[in-house]
């Protein structure tokens, strides 16, 4: 199988997030591999290993789009077990929204399928920065492929996949022919950690760098110019104010109810 896993370099949730530049884009100085993408990577590795792994010709390709720092997300994916990495980077990509991002990624996936067809494209359920969950569906539309979103289990048998989608009160099982685009939830598996052997092995794995010219995309189709949405203004979140302290003098319950009522929480 040839599986492409989309991995994103996102701001580390341990630090405050900031917007920068005229387009109010996310500052990615303190960034890591998106936690939700690790579930997609683990799903791909399990599918590949069930079929004999890399020795049997199975490929798990970690694809990331972003500036130079995004290569760190790919390196982490290689340490976890991906067989190779692809970094789509170009100055014109800066400021791309979900629509422009899906256009560029779709072109990159088609490019990667030139030597051998891509069997499956896996993504996380959302990115931990934008959290729109838009790219998987847009990607499937641009590639003209079946899509399965929010899969909490995934199996592949021959040329078909079977996935379970869990809702609040019910679950449904869906099937689709390959190739397909599938986004997976954080309930599908328990991602593995990179071990010493994996970290050493990752140093010998290749990372291919692609530009917009390589994948045949006009710079005007991406970035701020090609985006369907734009941020017109943004302000820093105001500092948190001190909370209200209720001292119990025998009427704390009444004071609490009055406070909640004043905040329209009752």
């Amino acid at each position: 199988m040839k599986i492409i896993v989309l991995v994103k370099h996102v701001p580390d949730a341990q630090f405050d997030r900031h917007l920068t530049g005229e387009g109010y884009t996310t500052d990615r100085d303190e960034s890591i591999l998106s936690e939700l993408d690790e579930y997609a990577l683990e799903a791909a590795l399990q599918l590949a290993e069930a079929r004999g792994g890399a020795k049997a010709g199975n490929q798990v390709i970690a694809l990331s789009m972003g500036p130079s720092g995004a290569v760190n997300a790919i390196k982490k994916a290689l340490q976890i077990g991906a067989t190779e990495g692809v970094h789509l980077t170009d100055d014109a990509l800066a400021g791309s929204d979900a629509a422009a991002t899906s256009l560029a990624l779709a072109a990159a996936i088609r490019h990667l399928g030139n030597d051998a067809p891509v069997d499956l494209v896996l993504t996380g359920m959302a990115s931990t920065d934008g959290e729109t969950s838009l790219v998987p569906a847009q990607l499937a539309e641009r590639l003209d492929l079946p899509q399965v979103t929010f899969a909490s289990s995934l199996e592949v048998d021959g040329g078909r996949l079977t996935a379970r989608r869990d809702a609040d009160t019910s679950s449904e099982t869906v099937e689709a022919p390959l190739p397909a685009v599938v986004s997976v939830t954080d309930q599908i598996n328990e991602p593995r950690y990179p071990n010493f052997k994996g970290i050493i092995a990752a140093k010998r794995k290749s990372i291919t760098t692609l530009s917009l010219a390589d994948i045949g995309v006009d710079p005007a189709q991406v970035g701020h110019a090609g985006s369907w949405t734009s941020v017109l203004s943004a302000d820093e979140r105001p500092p948190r104010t001190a909370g209200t302290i209720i001292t119990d003098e025998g009427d704390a319950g009444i004071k609490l109810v009055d406070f909640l009522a004043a905040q329209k929480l009752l």
Side-chain angles (χ1 to χ4, degrees):
M1 290 188 72
K2 184 174 185 177
I3 306 173
I4 293 180
V5 183
L6 302 186
V7 296
K8 191 174 183 181
H9 200 226
V10 299
D12 192 332
Q14 297 184 67
F15 303 97
D16 290 335
R17 300 182 184 183
H18 302 281
L19 300 180
T20 184
E22 295 181 1
Y24 301 105
T25 55
T26 304
D27 185 342
R28 301 182 183 277
D29 286 343
E30 300 286 350
S31 295
I32 58 174
L33 168 63
S34 176
E35 178 184 352
L36 293 175
D37 292 341
E38 293 187 24
Y39 296 91
L41 180 59
E42 178 64 29
L45 294 174
Q46 291 183 12
L47 289 172
E49 289 166 355
R51 287 156 181 77
K55 292 182 179 179
N58 296 284
Q59 295 175 275
V60 175
I61 302 172
L63 167 62
S64 187
M65 173 184 131
S68 58
V71 75
N72 292 322
I74 299 172
K75 290 179 178 178
K76 176 72 175 294
L78 294 178
Q79 292 172 356
I80 292 173
T83 54
E84 59 186 281
V86 177
H87 184 197
L88 174 60
T89 184
D90 198 294
D91 290 343
L93 288 167
S96 294
D97 67 355
T101 296
S102 65
L103 185 147
L105 288 173
I109 291 169
R110 283 192 290 266
H111 176 82
L112 294 174
N114 285 337
D115 58 340
V118 175
D119 297 296
L120 188 61
V121 179
L122 290 178
T123 78
M125 59 190 289
S127 62
T128 54
D129 52 357
E131 297 184 0
T132 66
S133 299
L134 292 174
V135 169
Q138 292 183 359
L139 196 59
E141 173 69 16
R142 295 188 186 281
L143 293 171
D144 194 24
L145 294 178
Q147 65 157 322
V148 177
T149 56
F150 301 107
S152 54
S153 73
L154 179 63
E155 297 178 0
V156 174
D157 185 8
R160 297 189 68 82
L161 67 85
T162 302
R164 190 185 75 247
R165 304 177 77 244
D166 295 330
D168 291 338
T169 59
S170 62
S171 297
E172 63 179 359
T173 300
V174 297
E175 294 184 354
L178 297 179
V181 176
V182 179
S183 69
V184 304
T185 72
D186 56 358
Q187 301 301 309
I188 193 169
N189 54 46
E190 189 65 35
R192 67 193 70 181
Y193 292 98
N195 54 33
F196 180 75
K197 182 179 178 181
I199 293 172
I200 297 301
K203 297 180 179 180
R204 300 191 296 270
K205 296 176 181 177
S206 65
I207 298 178
T208 301
T209 301
L210 297 176
S211 66
L212 290 177
D214 294 325
I215 61 176
V217 171
D218 186 337
Q221 295 178 286
V222 296
H224 295 295
S227 293
W228 296 358
T229 59
S230 61
V231 179
L232 300 181
S233 64
D235 296 300
E236 288 283 347
R237 179 178 59 192
R240 296 181 63 178
T241 57
T244 299
I245 299 176
I246 296 176
T247 303
D248 188 5
E249 297 176 346
D251 58 352
I254 296 174
K255 291 180 179 178
L256 178 58
V257 170
D258 289 343
F259 173 79
L260 294 176
Q263 301 299 317
K264 298 181 180 181
L265 297 174
L266 291 179

